[in-house]
Amino acid sequence: MSDKNSQEALFGSDVKRLPLKDLVKRIGPGLIATGIVIGPGAVTTSAMLGANYGYALIWLIIPIIFMGITFMMTTNRLAIVTGLPTIHAIKKYYGPIASGVVGVAVFLACLFFTMGNISGTGAGMNLIFGINWKLGSVIMIAIVLYCYFAKNVYSKVERIITLCILVMIVSFYATLVGVGGPDWGGLGKGMVGFRVPEGSLATALAFISTNAAVTSGIYATYLGKEKKWKKEDLFNGVMFTDALVHVISVVLISGAIILVGAIVLHPQGLAIKAPAQLAEMLVPIMGPAAKYIMGLALVGAGFSSLLANTQRGMVLLGAGFDRDVGLETKFIRYGCLICLIFSMIVCYSYGGSPTQLILMANVATSIATPVGGLFILLLLWRKDINEGYKKPTALRVCMTVSYVFVLIMTFTALRTSIPKLIASLGF
């Protein structure tokens, strides 16, 4: 029997599934990925879906579950069988140019979205304490920097983001209860309707691409290294549980926001362009509590995404150029500091509404996602990588289907985002 076959026997069928209490101790990267995904932009998009289309698009959580688990499990598997996190594996098998392109594209997307996260945390602090949004965001950025320069960075980030996720879930479900709960009949029809109302395609695809991003899986492989995941964790249930927790937490939060939009805004024909507006529109129903509940939700969304997204950008940029990307290295710490300072300057000069920068982020994401996804798909289908391991046929099929869908989303996003970006720049 070959060495790899021996490994498969050792780390495959012979590895026992861990009990629940041990699984809970071993998960974490998926929760950090949730903190990145659920930012102010995701909150706004979810509320817009409910406000504009009611329950009609609630079924989108189904492809999000499918794609989210697929991306996380694919990247985690590749990290185990290659012994390398994603971008390092891309460099080994496809060269430094490929890894550099993926790293730069993801970094640019993260940098632009950091500016939106600064605005979101500031808006949340304004709702809770009534202070200027810029001062509020400075306070939260100071806390972020403390986390970056403290010891045991990964542990602190994981705990804080877990707390933020819990705050978001409690806040949005308190809001859902406060507005009377959903129409269960309408919710049921929406879940099995599978229809795309006229004019909703671009928003629907943006919602899916935000909540089920292959870039989250890429970053999770580096977080798995910080978490000290081992080969056994591919087979003992740790990685699957982590991916499942990530997707469930994303769906719980985004689903609740869609329902609030469908219950409150849709019947009145109201629309929102920023998540803070949702608090204003809920005041007639929930009273003064609305701004505090939504303020907590916004602080949780903006802060968790700000904390992890900035770090993600630097880690993946460094990985693209073969730098040491440990979370406590000077490259990551001071790189994050520079990114935050730059983002603050640009965000404040745009008055908290950097429309052009968000459009540029969408374009960068539209490039990074299919490029990174392509190399991940190619790696998954390579015979030499999977030699000695049971062929992941089901995962290959799921990843191929998901990637084709990503290409469709990319084409749609670029077709709408690039003209808007050119127009906003005055060309």
Side-chain angles (χ1 to χ4, degrees):
M1 183 181 288
S2 68
D3 290 340
K4 272 202 168 183
N5 283 328
S6 299
Q7 287 180 340
E8 175 67 9
L10 177 60
F11 296 112
S13 58
D14 291 348
V15 177
K16 295 181 180 180
R17 186 175 179 84
L18 293 178
L20 181 61
K21 65 177 183 178
D22 293 328
L23 287 174
V24 170
K25 294 177 183 178
R26 295 291 295 149
I27 64 174
L31 287 170
I32 294 179
T34 299
I36 295 172
V37 167
I38 305 295
V43 173
T44 305
T45 303
S46 299
M48 286 173 59
L49 279 183
N52 295 338
Y53 308 106
Y55 298 101
L57 290 170
I58 192 69
W59 64 269
L60 291 175
I61 65 174
I62 296 174
I64 285 173
I65 292 171
F66 176 83
M67 294 174 65
I69 292 178
T70 296
F71 291 150
M72 296 290 281
M73 287 302 296
T74 299
T75 51
N76 284 337
R77 178 187 172 86
L78 289 173
I80 290 300
V81 298
T82 64
L84 297 166
T86 303
I87 295 183
H88 282 78
I90 291 173
K91 181 182 179 183
K92 177 179 178 179
Y93 290 96
Y94 298 103
I97 294 178
S99 64
V101 168
V102 175
V104 169
V106 176
F107 168 75
L108 290 175
C110 292
L111 179 63
F112 295 129
F113 279 123
T114 290
M115 299 166 197
N117 295 330
I118 290 174
S119 300
T121 54
M125 293 290 282
N126 173 258
L127 287 172
I128 297 171
F129 300 108
I131 60 177
N132 182 276
W133 74 269
K134 292 181 180 179
L135 175 60
S137 66
V138 168
I139 293 171
M140 302 312 292
I141 289 170
I143 298 173
V144 168
L145 290 174
Y146 163 75
C147 293
Y148 288 163
F149 284 87
K151 294 182 179 179
N152 301 317
V153 175
Y154 175 85
S155 178
K156 287 183 172 59
V157 170
E158 184 182 293
R159 285 199 210 100
I160 291 173
I161 287 182
T162 300
L163 176 62
C164 288
I165 290 170
L166 291 174
V167 167
M168 284 189 279
I169 290 174
V170 171
S171 298
F172 286 121
Y173 277 88
T175 304
L176 190 56
V177 172
V179 299
D183 171 8
W184 294 104
L187 175 60
K189 289 180 181 178
M191 284 296 296
V192 298
F194 304 113
R195 67 185 185 92
V196 181
E198 185 177 352
S200 69
L201 180 60
T203 306
L205 293 178
F207 176 74
I208 295 175
S209 63
T210 299
N211 288 279
V214 70
T215 49
S216 296
I218 293 174
Y219 186 44
T221 62
Y222 290 89
L223 296 175
K225 187 177 179 181
E226 294 284 339
K227 190 73 174 179
K228 297 180 172 58
W229 276 351
K230 301 177 181 178
K231 284 183 180 291
E232 294 96 322
D233 294 321
L234 178 63
F235 303 101
N236 63 16
V238 169
M239 291 185 181
F240 177 77
T241 303
D242 189 75
L244 190 62
V245 168
H246 163 66
V247 172
I248 289 174
S249 57
V250 167
V251 167
L252 281 175
I253 297 170
S254 295
I257 303 169
I258 293 176
L259 292 178
V260 171
I263 296 165
V264 180
L265 309 182
H266 184 64
Q268 302 178 59
L270 299 175
I272 66 167
K273 294 183 179 179
Q277 289 179 277
L278 192 56
E280 299 171 11
M281 294 174 179
L282 289 171
V283 168
I285 299 171
M286 299 181 64
K291 69 175 184 177
Y292 297 108
I293 293 173
M294 287 305 301
L296 284 170
L298 267 184
V299 168
F303 180 74
S304 63
S305 190
L306 181 65
L307 178 65
N309 179 68
T310 308
Q311 213 168 43
R312 174 179 67 164
M314 282 306 304
V315 167
L316 298 184
L317 176 67
F321 295 96
D322 205 22
R323 297 294 300 266
D324 185 354
V325 293
L327 297 185
E328 298 188 24
T329 61
K330 289 184 178 180
F331 175 79
I332 298 300
R333 283 175 164 170
Y334 287 99
C336 287
L337 174 62
I338 293 169
C339 288
L340 285 172
I341 292 173
F342 175 78
S343 297
M344 288 170 67
I345 293 171
V346 176
C347 184
Y348 295 164
S349 68
Y350 273 78
S353 182
T355 305
Q356 294 177 1
L357 298 170
I358 291 173
L359 286 171
M360 292 173 70
N362 288 334
V363 172
T365 302
S366 297
I367 296 170
T369 298
V371 172
L374 173 62
F375 288 111
I376 291 169
L377 183 64
L378 292 173
L379 285 169
L380 187 63
W381 280 92
R382 286 182 70 110
K383 291 182 179 180
D384 54 346
I385 286 178
N386 290 285
E387 184 181 354
Y389 290 85
K390 183 179 178 181
K391 291 182 180 179
T393 304
L395 193 58
R396 283 173 168 175
V397 172
C398 291
M399 184 62 197
T400 302
V401 171
S402 298
Y403 183 69
V404 170
F405 193 69
V406 164
L407 292 180
I408 295 172
M409 289 191 294
T410 300
F411 174 75
T412 303
L414 290 176
R415 189 174 59 181
T416 56
S417 296
I418 290 181
K420 287 181 180 179
L421 178 60
I422 293 174
S424 69
L425 292 174
F427 295 113

